[in-house]
Every structure is written in structure tokens, then in C-alpha cells.
Amino acid sequence: MSGSLMEEMREATKSFFATPKEEKHKYARQEKMFEGYGNDMVLSQEQVLDWTDRLYLTVTPASHRKLKFWPRNPPSFRGVLNEYAEATEQIGEVILKSMAASLGLDENCFLEMYGQVPKMYARFNYYPPCPRPDLALGVKPHADRSALTILLQDKDVEGLQVEKDRQWFRVPTIPDALLVNVGDQIEIMSNGEFRSVVHRVSANGARERISVAVFCMPDKESEIEPAAGLVDENRPRLYKKVKNYYQHYKPGKKTIDDAKI
Ligand SMILES: O=C(O)CCC(=O)C(=O)O
Ligand SMILES: [Fe+2]
């Protein structure tokens, strides 16, 4: 993907979040629905909210788009997102093939489990400056329920952190790079060879930050499970067969634990 397309996507995202709130509310998500503009879905009174505003859209297949949630302002938004989605889809495919091949599997092994109608959702994240960054997080620790997440980070402002060995490590911003996170579904398909990464976003006292996460997902009718080539007497099967995994979310729990044998 060209650096200029990344920059156009960042600019369109910033411009959307900078429009007046009446404009953004035209795309507001309905209660209990994930698609549209808003913030955290409130599932309990004790819930601590993330310090962020979001816009959540289905981007592929094009026939599943709900255009009523696609911003008209800035006017470039829809065209840029369309182009960005096509480029991202191709990158996702190349990475899935390479990941399968790197494990000695047929390169189409993961793609075949993806089924007929793989999906991509885009989540546009806006993190306003936070008066008490010591008390809040932009996004709480979580692992993505996608297969892969292709992340376009802010060009200037850091915030993302990944967990390894019970420690948090900051992820630097690299202007012309996309960051690819392994999600839960690749962990399952690879029988744990690739691990879904736990990550969070810190709050920033001085500067706003944006990011665009594209979640790549198998068809919800498709069953996914550890690839047969990765299971033998020395490598026991670690995960069950799952379907429509994205909907398995349980607040406060690690979704992947449900899939473990
Ligand atoms: O803002 C970021 O860098 C990460 C956002 C994220 O983890 C997500 O949207 O799932
Ligand atoms: Fe995430």
C-alpha cells in the first residue's frame, strides 16, 4: 500500500472526528448494535469506559456495507475507505498465505477455513487528550477476536502497548508502515503456533491520537479449528472447533479461553 493512501486515510479519519458532534451523530450506532459512531457499548453499570470515540463499519464484502453509517464528511471519506479496504484485503491475503507457508502448511490452508464470505470490519479510533491520563486508558487490555488485525497508527503520536512476559512494551509509530496483529482466530487455526497479542492504548494528557484497525475475519458460517497439519502425537490439539467466533465476546473474560480444550 502506498504511503500516500495511508496518509489520506489518516487525514479523512481526523477530519471526520473533527466535524461537529451533530454531524457525527448522524452516523450514531443504535443501542446494542456495534456498527456506527459512538463509544463503548455499556454492558454493566460497573464498566469502566475507554477514553475514546469510535466509528465502526463493515467494509467487505461491499454488499454487506451499511452506507447509512459511512460519513459524507469529509467528502473524500467514502472513496478513500473504499480504496483502503481493497488494498488491505490484498495485504491480509498475502499475510495469511505467508503465515500458513511459514508453518509448513499449504499456503491456502488458512484461507480455505475463511469460507465463502470473509469479512473485514474497520474501527476508526479517536483518542482525545485526557485530563487524567494516570486514571484512564484509551483502550483497556484486550486481544482482538479477528484472525488478523491490520492497524494504521497515528503518524506522530504513540499510544499502543503490547504485553509480553507480564510487561508492557510501547509500539513505536512508523509513518509508512502498517502494523499487523495476530488475532484469536489465527491462534486457533495455527494450534497456538501464532499467539494472539494482548494490547492496550494509553491515554495522553496533551495530544490527540487516531488509529484505524481493520479486523479480518472468516465467514461466520465457517467452522475454524487447528490445521490438521499442526496436530500430531507430539503436538496435541489445543483448541475446539468454533464458528462465528467474533460473537463469542464475554465482558471481562479472555474470549480465547472458551475455545481452549
Ligand atoms: O489505537 C490503536 O493503536 C489500537 C486500537 C485497538 O487495539 C483496536 O481497535 O482493537
Ligand atoms: Fe485491538
Side-chain angles (χ1 to χ4, degrees):
M1 184 188 304
S2 68
S4 60
L5 180 55
M6 291 183 204
E7 197 44 25
E8 283 175 66
M9 192 70 265
R10 288 191 189 100
E11 287 305 318
T13 304
K14 281 188 194 155
S15 304
F16 168 69
F17 285 110
T19 57
K21 79 170 178 295
E22 298 73 36
E23 174 66 21
K24 286 183 286 206
H25 282 169
K26 290 183 189 161
Y27 312 100
R29 81 178 165 75
Q30 283 141 9
E31 207 184 333
K32 302 210 168 73
M33 306 297 278
F34 72 87
E35 215 163 337
Y37 169 76
N39 40 27
D40 271 350
M41 217 182 265
V42 177
L43 300 164
S44 89
Q45 289 305 316
E46 286 81 53
Q47 187 176 333
V48 178
L49 297 182
D50 290 338
W51 192 266
T52 182
D53 266 7
R54 305 189 177 113
L55 173 69
Y56 217 129
L57 300 172
T58 302
V59 289
T60 59
S63 59
H64 289 228
R65 291 178 182 173
K66 295 198 179 110
L67 287 180
K68 66 175 179 179
F69 294 118
W70 285 47
R72 290 184 184 281
N73 279 304
S76 62
F77 191 97
R78 293 180 171 198
V80 171
L81 178 53
N82 192 44
E83 213 183 311
Y84 185 79
E86 278 172 16
T88 311
E89 195 171 29
Q90 284 177 18
I91 292 170
E93 215 179 287
V94 170
I95 293 173
L96 274 179
K97 285 185 177 174
S98 314
M99 287 175 100
S102 77
L103 297 175
L105 301 166
D106 180 277
E107 66 168 11
N108 290 315
C109 177
F110 295 152
L111 275 172
E112 275 159 16
M113 276 193 252
Y114 254 49
Q116 295 299 312
V117 195
K119 271 202 171 160
M120 289 188 342
Y121 300 119
R123 182 153 98 166
F124 301 82
N125 300 300
Y126 171 72
Y127 307 98
C130 176
R132 290 296 304 269
D134 54 324
L135 296 179
L137 282 170
V139 183
K140 289 185 283 297
H142 67 283
D144 295 343
R145 282 164 289 139
S146 56
L148 288 178
T149 304
I150 301 181
L151 185 72
L152 177 67
Q153 291 203 84
D154 197 289
K155 201 171 49 161
D156 306 307
V157 184
E158 273 183 22
L160 180 64
Q161 300 173 346
V162 295
E163 191 190 54
K164 190 172 186 292
D165 305 329
R166 296 171 182 238
Q167 267 184 288
W168 291 104
F169 294 88
R170 33 177 281 274
V171 177
T173 55
I174 306 174
D176 283 345
L178 293 165
L179 181 80
V180 179
N181 278 337
V182 171
D184 288 354
Q185 299 194 60
I186 287 281
E187 178 167 332
I188 295 171
M189 293 190 253
S190 73
N191 201 30
E193 293 290 334
F194 292 112
R195 289 293 162 99
S196 171
V197 62
V198 174
H199 54 287
R200 69 179 188 184
V201 177
S202 59
N204 189 310
R207 302 184 71 183
E208 60 179 27
R209 176 174 181 271
I210 56 112
S211 68
V212 181
V214 172
F215 304 108
C216 306
M217 221 87 61
D219 187 334
K220 68 179 186 352
E221 299 305 327
S222 218
E223 289 189 307
I224 63 157
E225 61 181 325
L230 298 174
V231 179
D232 55 37
E233 62 272 24
N234 299 320
R235 294 180 297 179
R237 180 192 172 102
L238 300 176
Y239 305 87
K240 297 177 222 167
K241 209 180 244 187
V242 297
K243 198 167 132 178
N244 199 6
Y245 181 83
Y246 207 59
Q247 304 300 332
H248 285 210
Y249 179 68
K250 293 213 184 93
K253 279 199 165 179
K254 268 181 120 175
T255 316
I256 192 84
D257 288 343
D258 262 4
K260 285 185 180 153
I261 287 176

